[in-house]
């Protein structure tokens, strides 16, 4: 089968299509005919060898996946051939087929488009778990989303609005800010402007209740200073580097800093998955989420998808198809 195989850690924009063998499903496994794989910084960091774990070489990247069940192994009862599913593979998704544990996949109604579901298990699930379980977001509260035009940020905007919150989105260009507004943000702020915090304060005079931060770096501390008493600062990622936060700030602001580690939670507590995916499916069917990908690349153009991602030229949700 055709796949994007990593032979050595390096630039993900150099990925090329290779021929690799299929693997028949074993006990408790299924084989999926792939529809799409959501693309994020996590995948790129794995390819670069810069993530916390380094997969043994060679490997096929791609973790947030959707597809159709083609084969089932012994003991699989909750899925059957022909079922549409969303799943989490850790590795293997950027291929024509993938074999993985059946329990890593969740069946989907046929009216949920498979390409829409390709981002369920990473971007959307991280956002819902982060805002609901970690951030305890309530209707009427205000959320500040940093790096709001990318996959992680734009899905957070949609989820926060579905939960009844006011959303202030931060993005670096006029085009990206318009995309944030199109995604549902109430206010879009240019956080490259030295006075960006004044714009946030004008939109949220009492401070923001939740900060959703997939960016970190130099933006994290100024955002933390914008929090209301009782606020929750959600650490989601480190696109621009790991921030250094003076620990007197949470004390003075009377707020909390909370790590959002969806992957770690799934591995430690698999029961967290069904209620998250079920809610995403329901909101998709109700039209509360705009789950259609903004950019779809064929496998042969995966390098361009990663190049746009790491150069921060891309916006919205990205899916690679086989």
């Amino acid at each position: 089968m055709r796949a994007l195989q990593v032979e050595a850690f390096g630039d993900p924009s150099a990925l090329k299509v290779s021929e690799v063998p299929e693997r028949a499903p074993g006990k408790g496994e299924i084989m999926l005919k792939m529809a799409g794989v959501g693309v994020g910084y996590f995948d790129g960091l794995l390819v670069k060898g810069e993530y916390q774990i380094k997969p043994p070489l060679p490997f096929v990247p791609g973790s947030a996946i959707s597809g159709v069940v083609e084969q089932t192994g012994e003991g699989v009862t909750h899925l059957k051939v022909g079922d549409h599913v969303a799943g989490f593979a850790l590795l293997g998704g950027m291929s024509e087929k993938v074999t993985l544990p059946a329990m890593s996949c969740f069946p989907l109604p046929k009216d949920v488009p498979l390409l829409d579901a390709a981002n369920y298990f990473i971007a959307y699930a991280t956002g819902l778990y982060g805002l609901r379980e970690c951030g305890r977001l309530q209707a009427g509260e205000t959320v500040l989303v940093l790096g709001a035009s990318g996959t992680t940020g734009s899905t957070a905007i949609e989820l926060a609005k579905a939960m009844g919150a006011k959303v202030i989105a931060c993005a670096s260009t006029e085009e990206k800010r318009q995309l944030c507004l199109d995604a549902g943000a109430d206010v879009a702020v240019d956080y490259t402007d030295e006075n960006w915090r004044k714009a946030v304060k004008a939109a949220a005079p009492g401070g923001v209740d939740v900060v959703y931060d997939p960016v970190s770096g130099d933006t994290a501390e100024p955002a933390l200073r914008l929090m209301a008493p009782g606020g929750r600062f959600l650490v989601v990622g480190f696109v621009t580097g790991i921030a250094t936060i003076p620990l007197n700030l949470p004390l003075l602001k009377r707020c909390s800093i909370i790590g959002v580690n969806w992957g770690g939670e799934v591995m430690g507590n698999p029961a967290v998955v069904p209620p998250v995916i079920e809610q995403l499916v329901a909101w998709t069917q109700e039209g509360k989420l705009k789950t259609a990908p903004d950019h779809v690349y064929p496998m042969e153009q995966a390098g361009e998808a990663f190049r746009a991602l790491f150069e921060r030229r891309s916006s919205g949700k990205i899916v690679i198809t086989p």
Side-chain angles (χ1 to χ4, degrees):
M1 63 180 181
R2 295 161 58 252
L4 294 168
Q5 182 162 262
V6 178
E7 304 286 348
F9 295 117
D11 183 358
S13 67
L15 284 174
K16 302 293 183 185
V17 176
S18 303
E19 291 288 333
V20 303
E22 297 178 11
R23 183 173 70 82
K27 185 176 181 180
E29 293 184 322
I30 60 172
M31 177 186 284
L32 289 186
K33 182 179 180 181
M34 287 293 299
V37 54
V39 178
Y41 281 94
F42 165 76
D43 304 285
L45 293 175
L46 278 178
V47 174
K48 286 183 171 185
E50 295 177 0
Y51 195 64
Q52 292 95 316
I53 59 172
K54 289 189 178 183
L57 296 167
F59 69 90
V60 175
S63 50
I65 63 175
S66 63
V68 179
V69 178
E70 189 166 276
Q71 296 181 40
T72 61
E74 179 187 349
V76 176
T77 57
H78 78 293
L79 296 172
K80 64 183 185 301
V81 172
D83 280 353
H84 290 194
V85 303
F88 178 76
L90 183 60
L91 301 173
M94 294 184 186
S95 58
E96 292 180 312
K97 300 179 182 181
V98 63
T99 299
L100 74 165
M103 296 307 295
S104 298
C105 296
F106 194 89
L108 298 171
K110 294 289 178 69
D111 63 342
V112 173
L114 281 171
L115 287 190
D116 292 25
N119 274 298
Y120 271 1
F121 257 82
I122 299 293
Y124 277 107
T126 297
L128 182 54
Y129 166 72
L131 291 169
R132 188 173 68 180
E133 273 71 34
C134 300
R136 307 181 307 282
L137 179 63
Q138 302 297 310
E141 290 190 316
T142 299
V143 179
L144 177 66
V145 181
L146 306 180
S149 66
T151 300
T152 306
S154 62
T155 51
I157 291 172
E158 294 175 33
L159 291 161
K161 293 305 298 180
M163 296 172 72
K166 176 180 179 178
V167 176
I168 303 172
C170 291
S172 58
T173 69
E174 184 176 349
E175 180 183 8
K176 289 181 177 181
R177 290 191 292 277
Q178 184 58 53
L179 289 169
C180 293
L181 295 172
D182 293 342
D186 298 281
V187 179
V189 172
D190 179 2
Y191 65 163
T192 65
D193 187 308
E194 61 180 12
N195 294 315
W196 72 273
R197 291 176 67 242
K198 291 182 179 179
V200 174
K201 289 178 179 179
V208 297
D209 301 291
V210 174
V211 171
Y212 192 85
D213 182 14
V215 178
S216 195
D218 294 337
T219 312
E221 183 181 330
L224 183 62
R225 293 179 181 274
L226 290 166
M227 303 210 71
R232 289 81 72 198
F233 187 104
L234 302 179
V235 181
V236 182
F238 312 99
V239 171
T240 61
I242 297 175
T244 300
I245 299 292
L247 286 181
N248 65 317
L249 278 180
L251 184 152
L252 295 171
K253 300 297 293 185
R254 290 176 283 151
C255 66
S256 304
I257 299 176
I258 304 166
V260 178
N261 184 351
W262 166 247
E265 184 68 16
V266 169
M267 288 186 282
N269 176 26
V272 75
V273 173
V276 167
I277 304 301
E278 287 167 1
Q279 183 67 82
L280 295 176
V281 168
W283 280 344
T284 299
Q285 293 175 314
E286 294 167 14
K288 292 183 177 180
L289 302 178
K290 302 172 184 178
T291 50
D294 299 282
H295 308 281
V296 178
Y297 293 85
M299 194 187 297
E300 290 78 6
Q301 295 178 15
E304 173 55 30
F306 277 109
R307 188 177 299 112
L309 183 71
F310 277 92
E311 292 176 0
R312 303 189 73 182
R313 290 186 286 107
S314 64
S315 56
K317 299 171 286 292
I318 304 171
V319 170
I320 289 175
T321 68

